[in-house]
Amino acid sequence: MKIEKLILSVLLSTLFFTAKGQSSVSAMQSSLYTFWTAQSQYAGFILAEEDGLYKANGMDLKVIHFDGTPAVEMLQTGKADFVSLTLLDALDARLKGVKLVNILQFSHESSFVVVSNEPVRSLKDLKGQEIVTYRAFNTTLKNEIYRRLAQNVSIKEIYSCVEAFCTGAYDYVICTSYNEMYEIEESGFDISSKNIIHLSKCGLNIPEDGIYVMEEFLQKNPKAVDKFIKASIEGWSIASQDIEHSVDVTLTRMERENLLHNRYHERNMLKEMLRLHGKDQNFSLTQKEFDEALELFGEEAKGIIDFDSFAR
């Protein structure tokens, strides 16, 4: 009798550990790479990982933040299954032959603003001026500003555009409303409606942040993509409902990665990211958004790429 109980105990233990092992193997191991360092810009994804939402949806997913490697390269080399990219950068990559697909869009309004040391009303007021912006500012958007101002403007890209503006080296800066604009305010500069231009109100309302995968990955792993989308939306939903919890989690991530951080800035960033997302909480790229962005690449681009192949 004792032997039978011992055998039964061993069998149950084996079944338990086998099931446990199978469960861990069945959870797909993957990664999301963000095109910039950890901050509230990615709050929903950070929450989805830290609060276990990806695991709850059957994914063993790790969020990896910018380490100097371009996001498109991470996708092409298979070092990341999912990456964050702006819509213009993604279209540029697709036009160059990189078969990536938009699976989730969490920005539906351009964050770009022009902040000025003096009253400014429209882009036309920038004619003849020198403008500073951050390094790697999107070339397509920059060329469109040049075109609209008949090349009568100078846009310089430097590492610390905020410092250059705040010290008076430049009177105009192009920056994001969720990050650098707050840095300018935190430096003591009073930003009012009289000295700010929103590109979204100048016929340049191009959505930005979205999540992309390679076309082949989507074809082979449609269920994994569905799980990622579901968990990510849950993460952003929590972020929108509990700002302070989201900021806590983001600050912990930033501290872990040895990044400078403060609650005031990250709270403002998250609120602005949620505003840029829109009130309807739509996570899909629209045909209209695609068409308006593609328009900036010229007529020839329309024959190379179409909405149905670009967006899931």
Side-chain angles (χ1 to χ4, degrees):
M1 193 69 175
K2 288 183 179 180
I3 294 176
E4 290 176 352
K5 286 183 178 180
L6 178 61
I7 293 173
L8 180 61
S9 176
V10 170
L11 285 173
L12 288 173
S13 297
T14 302
L15 287 171
F16 172 76
F17 285 111
T18 300
K20 187 177 180 182
Q22 288 176 344
S23 175
S24 63
V25 171
S26 64
M28 180 180 177
Q29 295 182 336
S30 54
S31 59
L32 162 65
Y33 182 78
T34 63
F35 69 79
W36 194 240
T37 54
Q39 55 185 15
S40 288
Q41 180 179 1
Y42 308 112
F45 306 110
I46 294 173
L47 267 176
E49 180 187 8
E50 296 292 343
D51 283 6
L53 302 179
Y54 289 123
K55 286 187 178 180
N57 281 276
M59 297 192 78
D60 181 10
L61 185 137
K62 182 176 179 60
V63 180
I64 306 169
H65 300 286
F66 182 71
D67 62 5
T69 308
V72 173
E73 182 181 325
M74 293 289 286
L75 203 57
Q76 285 182 291
T77 57
K79 292 180 180 178
D81 302 306
F82 305 85
V83 301
S84 72
L85 281 170
T86 67
L87 177 55
L88 289 178
D89 284 337
L91 283 170
D92 181 62
R94 185 74 191 235
L95 289 168
K96 290 176 179 175
V98 182
K99 292 188 176 181
L100 46 72
V101 180
N102 178 298
I103 62 163
L104 185 150
Q105 186 68 31
F106 62 102
S107 162
H108 292 282
E109 182 177 320
S110 173
S111 71
F112 288 114
V113 294
V114 178
V115 181
S116 169
N117 267 319
E118 56 189 39
V120 63
R121 293 170 297 177
S122 69
L123 285 178
K124 292 180 180 179
D125 292 337
L126 304 179
K127 283 188 175 182
Q129 304 297 334
E130 278 195 335
I131 308 171
V132 68
T133 189
Y134 60 83
R135 285 168 61 184
F137 182 69
N138 185 267
T139 302
T140 302
L141 186 55
K142 181 166 65 175
N143 289 340
E144 179 62 15
I145 294 173
Y146 279 141
R147 187 189 71 79
R148 293 190 178 206
L149 299 179
Q151 304 295 320
N152 191 11
V153 66
S154 173
I155 302 176
K156 297 189 179 296
E157 299 177 27
I158 65 174
Y159 182 76
S160 184
C161 63
V162 171
E163 183 179 354
F165 175 77
C166 290
T167 57
Y170 289 86
D171 290 326
Y172 304 88
V173 60
I174 298 177
C175 61
T176 62
S177 62
Y178 61 81
N179 192 12
E180 293 92 357
M181 190 178 78
Y182 287 121
E183 290 180 359
I184 292 171
E185 285 186 327
E186 289 158 17
S187 297
F189 189 87
D190 184 21
I191 298 178
S192 71
S193 59
K194 293 182 180 180
N195 58 351
I196 186 170
I197 301 171
H198 290 267
L199 294 194
S200 61
K201 299 177 182 178
C202 301
L204 286 172
N205 189 24
I206 308 299
E208 292 163 28
D209 294 11
I211 300 297
Y212 295 81
V213 299
M214 292 299 290
E215 187 177 75
E216 183 180 6
F217 180 86
L218 176 59
Q219 292 170 350
K220 291 182 177 180
N221 305 281
K223 291 184 179 179
V225 171
D226 287 340
K227 290 176 181 178
F228 173 84
I229 293 171
K230 182 175 182 293
S232 297
I233 291 176
E234 288 174 3
W236 278 105
S237 176
I238 292 173
S240 66
Q241 295 169 23
D242 194 341
I243 297 288
E244 294 308 317
H245 171 61
S246 178
V247 172
D248 284 339
V249 173
T250 301
L251 291 175
T252 299
R253 173 66 61 90
M254 295 178 76
E255 184 175 344
R256 190 187 308 156
E257 304 216 352
N258 297 314
L259 297 171
L260 293 175
H261 55 277
N262 73 73
R263 177 173 293 275
Y264 177 78
H265 184 82
E266 295 306 317
R267 184 190 294 116
N268 282 337
M269 182 185 292
L270 177 54
K271 289 180 178 179
E272 179 64 1
M273 285 300 298
L274 292 171
R275 185 190 73 80
L276 295 170
H277 184 182
K279 295 180 180 179
D280 60 356
Q281 294 290 293
N282 177 26
F283 285 88
S284 297
L285 183 70
T286 68
Q287 176 84 55
K288 182 175 182 292
E289 290 169 338
F290 170 83
D291 290 342
E292 290 179 353
L294 192 62
E295 190 77 27
L296 300 187
F297 291 90
E299 242 352 271
E300 63 278 4
K302 296 179 181 179
I304 301 174
I305 179 173
D306 63 274
F307 178 70
D308 290 335
S309 65
F310 180 77
R312 184 177 185 273

